């Protein structure tokens, strides 16, 4: 399954979700290995949350690198907690 810009993967197996034929509701996507699935809408929502987390972590990392080179900026040590997702975006992390 492909969202607007990334593939939707099973959070456990990191394999692409596939459309399940003859399923009710019809727009059902699931992992071919563990059968974990949900409607297209719910998968997209979860992949969206995962995408936000990845983006936030990258931003924080970039801000840290900047802060390290400046004695005028200090940042908190708090890192963004890793969420648990049934479905994730296809990011190399
Ligand atoms: Zn799976």
């Amino acid at each position: 399954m492909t969202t607007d810009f990334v593939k939707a993967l099973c959070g456990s197996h990191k394999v692409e979700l596939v459309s399940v034929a003859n399923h009710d509701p019809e727009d059902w996507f699931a992992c071919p290995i563990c059968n974990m699935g949900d409607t297209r809408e719910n998968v997209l929502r979860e992949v969206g949350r995962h995408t936000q987390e990845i983006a936030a972590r990258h931003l924080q990392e970039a801000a840290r690198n900047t802060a390290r080179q400046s004695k005028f900026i200090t940042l908190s040590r708090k890192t963004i907690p890793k969420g648990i997702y049934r479905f994730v975006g296809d990011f190399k992390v």
Side-chain angles (χ1 to χ4, degrees), residues 1 3 15-16 21 23 31 53 56 58 61 63 69 90-92:
M1 174 183 179
T3 69
V15 294
E16 192 171 354
H23 195 283
C31 169
E53 184 188 311
H58 276 279
E61 199 51 44
Q69 291 158 25
D90 184 15
F91 299 104
K92 308 282 174 282

Side-chain angles (χ1 to χ4, degrees), residues 31 36-37 42 54 67 72 88:
C31 169
M36 170 76 81
N42 286 335
I54 300 292
F72 302 109
V88 298

Side-chain angles (χ1 to χ4, degrees), residues 6-46:
V6 292
K7 281 180 187 169
L9 310 180
C10 170
S12 309
H13 299 102
K14 306 291 186 288
V15 294
E16 192 171 354
L17 301 182
V18 292
S19 175
V20 179
N22 302 320
H23 195 283
D24 186 30
E26 261 175 41
D27 61 340
W28 194 266
F29 289 83
C31 169
I33 297 171
C34 66
N35 266 332
M36 170 76 81
D38 212 324
T39 59
R40 179 181 168 81
E41 191 188 346
N42 286 335
V43 169
L44 287 179
R45 191 179 305 135
E46 187 129 348

